[in-house]
Amino acid sequence: SQKIEQNSEALNIQEGKTATLTCNYTNYSPAYLQWYRQDPGRGPVFLLLIRENEKEKRKERLKVTFDTTLKQSLFHITASQPADSATYLCALGTGGFKTIFGAGTRLFVKA
Amino acid sequence: DAGVIQSPRHEVTEMGQEVTLRCKPISGHNSLFWYRQTMMRGLELLIYFNNNVPIDDSGMPEDRFSAKMPNASFSTLKIQPSEPRDSAVYFCASTVVQRGHNEQFFGPGTRLTVL
């Protein structure tokens, strides 16, 4: 069956460290993968997109990798700050219009 | 731009009542999505429209759910009759579909509680 898995347990890290979140998928062949941020009581906000033929994408303190052989994406936040505390969702673009979301990983950055 | 607008923000109703959720997408966007989010199931795609036409409604839980998009600036999601298990946050999102992209802009959501 098709599955998208993100760390169900919350990730707690110290301010200034690099946070690394994982997104694994099975039985999908995504054309692209997206990462979104969601704060409590709000809708998800788009952060980054990486296509199937790209290995890595960066935006300011964010970095995403995409390994279609391992069927995995890693999302890194360098020099993390308490303001980065949120839930991060990965989403697979399966072609056409459809995007399938993972359950998300909660990140807590302690000052 | 005001972003995606949803109303109401909160809805509390009793089992058996009809519920209508509303969404105004970002002007110029040609695709609209309805999602439901719960702790147990995460963010689930219910239905999406392209150019006002429903493309895939396979995520709609059952016949009690229906969605319409009469024009490019308005969509509704209706639940009739509502049940307690429908309690969730319902999000609307819009985008301009492009080849290999599809960044979605989400509204603030409607928190539905069915008693």
Side-chain angles (χ1 to χ4, degrees):
Chain A
S1 64
Q2 295 176 317
K3 249 192 302 186
I4 303 172
E5 290 181 331
Q6 296 186 252
N7 295 358
S8 57
E9 292 183 12
L11 180 63
N12 291 279
I13 65 167
Q14 198 68 34
E15 182 177 11
K17 300 292 186 185
T18 296
T20 298
L21 285 68
T22 305
C23 176
N24 294 299
Y25 59 92
T26 54
N27 294 324
Y28 282 110
S29 296
Y32 56 84
L33 190 147
Q34 300 174 333
W35 284 88
Y36 287 76
R37 170 185 172 139
Q38 187 173 23
D39 291 286
R42 294 178 175 267
V45 175
F46 173 81
L47 296 175
L48 279 170
L49 175 145
I50 187 164
R51 295 185 175 84
E52 59 179 334
N53 60 348
E54 297 175 319
K55 295 289 186 191
E56 182 179 297
K57 189 70 82 70
R58 291 176 186 260
K59 179 182 176 183
E60 298 172 353
R61 295 184 296 110
L62 308 180
K63 185 178 87 170
V64 172
T65 63
F66 193 11
D67 189 326
T68 55
T69 302
L70 290 179
K71 297 187 183 299
Q72 180 182 78
S73 174
L74 298 179
F75 176 78
H76 306 273
I77 306 174
T78 58
S80 59
Q81 305 164 359
D84 295 326
S85 299
T87 296
Y88 292 86
L89 306 168
C90 72
L92 303 186
T94 57
F97 312 105
K98 206 164 181 173
T99 303
I100 309 298
F101 282 81
T105 298
R106 293 191 71 185
L107 172 67
F108 293 98
V109 181
K110 201 186 306 186
Chain B
D1 197 330
V4 175
I5 299 172
Q6 290 187 248
S7 64
R9 293 294 311 276
H10 302 273
E11 176 82 30
V12 180
T13 191
E14 292 190 345
M15 183 173 65
Q17 296 298 305
E18 177 180 298
V19 174
T20 299
L21 311 181
R22 297 173 177 79
C23 176
K24 177 178 167 54
I26 292 173
S27 176
H29 284 190
N30 64 354
S31 290
L32 183 141
F33 304 78
W34 281 101
Y35 292 90
R36 176 172 68 176
Q37 188 172 42
T38 61
M39 288 293 292
M40 290 294 293
R41 300 174 69 93
L43 194 63
E44 301 175 278
L45 177 64
L46 300 177
I47 185 172
Y48 63 92
F49 296 83
N50 182 250
N51 293 325
N52 311 338
V53 176
I55 302 299
D56 185 341
D57 65 354
S58 60
M60 297 285 260
E62 44 198 277
D63 292 345
R64 297 184 298 106
F65 286 69
S66 62
K68 292 182 180 179
M69 192 163 185
N71 57 61
S73 59
F74 184 65
S75 177
T76 59
L77 178 68
K78 187 177 291 188
I79 308 172
Q80 165 65 13
S82 57
E83 297 182 3
R85 61 191 166 124
D86 301 331
S87 297
V89 181
Y90 291 80
F91 288 103
C92 174
S94 70
T95 190
V96 178
V97 173
Q98 301 177 42
R99 184 179 171 81
H101 203 259
N102 196 10
E103 168 190 350
Q104 294 184 30
F105 294 81
F106 282 78
T110 295
R111 181 173 294 277
L112 174 65
T113 303
V114 183
L115 303 174

